[in-house]
Amino acid sequence: MKKFLTILLVVAMLIPFAALSETYNLATAGSDGELSITMGTNAEFPPFEFVEGEDVVGVDADIAHEIANDLGLTLLISNMAFDSIIPALTSGQIDMGIAAMTVKEERLLSVDFSEPYYNARQALIVKVGGSVVDAETLKDKTIGVQNGTTGDYAAEEYTADVQRFGKALDAVLELQNGKLDAVIVDEPVAKNIVAALGNPDLILLDAVAFEDEFYAIAVAKGHPELLEAINATIKRIQEDGTLDAILLKYFPTEE
Ligand code: GLN
């Protein structure tokens, strides 16, 4: 009888999980059979996602934990190249792409986006005393970017000589070594990398009026329930102060 009750209890506990997995059409189950939701990201983009010890941490990882908690699911994080995230979504390997990803019309052809959670823009990093001093001198120069990003597209507006790197840091290191004339990368990340390198010769040049960009969470098309659940968490963390607290944690020096 006791055994029967235990089985009954276990089955009763599993039903909501199974229903959840079906409702949200989730790609993955955890290694121990726990139901999980998988975030795909490129953990080379501090402070939004970076590796600390064995963990992927950052603004986006914290947001993903909020989503998983609200859904009662375990969060798994899959670290990959930025330009692999959309293919991983469309092929069902991950459930959500959270990677400081800008909502772009071209991307909306293959994935859906949540409501935005952060407003950013690109930034131009140059070397003091270098050849780039304004928008005019940026033309036809060698510009480093992270492959497949909005910085990559912005650089193409100025030059045919775009040097693409897997991570923004490698581009900035090349700039530091004198191999590039400038780097274009998302402003919060540009500030973070320049501060971390502590090289006074690297500066953010406020010379180009880059457009506003909105970061949102990408999901495969045809998952309206998952998108709705993600939007509900974004709304909650915007309203209850959780998002501000997360941003403050990773941007301690900014308002
Ligand atoms: N916001 C940029 C984009 O969406 C860069 C994102 C990233 O490199 N993680 O293209």
Side-chain angles (χ1 to χ4, degrees), residues 69-190:
N69 282 345
D70 283 354
L71 289 172
L73 297 167
T74 303
L75 179 69
L76 300 180
I77 300 182
S78 182
N79 190 8
M80 59 186 73
F82 180 74
D83 57 358
S84 298
I85 296 172
I86 289 182
L89 280 169
T90 54
S91 64
Q93 287 163 276
I94 57 172
D95 298 304
M96 48 187 184
I98 318 188
M101 195 182 281
T102 304
V103 179
K104 291 265 314 165
E105 235 164 86
E106 299 90 312
R107 292 174 180 165
L108 280 164
L109 297 175
S110 30
V111 293
D112 287 336
F113 278 102
S114 71
E115 293 297 326
Y117 61 88
Y118 191 81
N119 180 195
R121 65 185 60 76
Q122 295 303 302
L124 183 64
I125 312 175
V126 298
K127 238 172 139 175
V128 176
S131 59
V132 177
V133 293
D134 54 19
E136 198 47 43
T137 47
L138 182 60
K139 276 191 194 138
D140 302 322
K141 293 285 156 55
T142 305
I143 306 178
V145 299
Q146 184 172 356
N147 192 24
T149 61
T150 43
D152 188 346
Y153 309 139
E156 284 175 340
E157 307 273 314
Y158 285 89
T159 185
D161 189 6
V162 179
Q163 302 290 317
R164 300 181 170 84
F165 297 83
K167 37 180 170 169
L169 173 64
D170 288 345
V172 182
L173 291 175
E174 283 293 277
L175 172 67
Q176 188 168 255
N177 293 338
K179 304 261 169 59
L180 301 171
D181 299 305
V183 168
I184 300 180
V185 66
D186 296 36
E187 187 176 51
V189 177

Side-chain angles (χ1 to χ4, degrees), residues 19-28 95 221-223 225-226:
L20 260 182
S21 159
E22 229 165 80
T23 307
Y24 298 116
N25 201 356
L26 298 171
T28 42
D95 298 304
K221 286 191 177 291
H223 292 66
E225 296 81 5
L226 178 59

